[in-house]
Amino acid sequence: MTFLIFSLMFTAVSSAEPVPPTAGRVHHVVIVWLKEHGNPEARRQYIEATQSLSKLPMLLSYQVGTVLPGKRDVVDSSYDVAIVATFENAQALDEYSRHPDHDKVIDEKLKQLVDKVLVYDFVEAP
């Protein structure tokens, strides 16, 4: 199960309607639940481990942070860390997900910290 989670962790998921690789900006949203849920030190370790990914050349922007608890029913505050990475297009996201540094950070630093990951990729509307 863990292998499946990490194999999908930062990979673009295909949809019913194929997206041309140059269709428009793509946002890669990663929601993370840590093994030590709620632990500030584990959150800090995760965030620090991902900082090197923000320097990869295909990224337009990269934000990482911790949960902002919400009081509305539609707000999910159950996770620990979230990442939003923006790319020029789907091809750039694919290059990012296959980059050796990306795999190295996941394998050597993140797997040991993470319990569950959800990824949402979307293309900006024109």
Side-chain angles (χ1 to χ4, degrees):
M1 181 68 167
T2 302
F3 176 76
L4 177 60
I5 289 171
F6 284 101
S7 67
L8 296 174
M9 188 167 167
F10 294 100
T11 304
V13 177
S14 63
S15 64
E17 295 180 35
V19 176
T22 57
R25 285 192 177 180
V26 170
H27 299 274
H28 180 62
V29 180
V30 180
I31 308 298
V32 179
W33 288 263
L34 299 173
K35 289 178 183 175
E36 295 183 41
H37 179 65
N39 181 318
E41 178 61 20
R43 287 176 176 173
R44 184 194 62 73
Q45 286 177 354
Y46 185 94
I47 290 168
E48 284 183 8
T50 65
Q51 290 300 320
S52 64
L53 297 177
S54 69
K55 296 170 179 51
L56 293 179
M58 64 288 294
L59 278 157
L60 295 178
S61 68
Y62 186 91
Q63 293 83 36
V64 59
T66 57
V67 64
L68 174 64
K71 296 178 182 176
R72 298 175 296 144
D73 291 341
V74 298
V75 176
D76 179 357
S77 301
S78 68
Y79 66 96
D80 288 287
V81 179
I83 297 169
V84 178
T86 303
F87 302 88
E88 189 63 39
N89 52 43
Q91 180 179 354
L93 171 59
D94 185 54
E95 290 170 9
Y96 171 80
S97 68
R98 292 184 289 112
H99 195 283
D101 290 351
H102 178 265
D103 293 341
K104 184 177 179 179
V105 167
I106 290 172
D107 291 340
E108 295 178 7
K109 298 180 180 179
L110 301 182
K111 279 185 181 180
Q112 64 197 18
L113 298 171
V114 174
D115 180 47
K116 175 184 169 184
V117 174
L118 285 177
V119 176
Y120 300 96
D121 293 330
F122 68 94
V123 179
E124 280 184 25

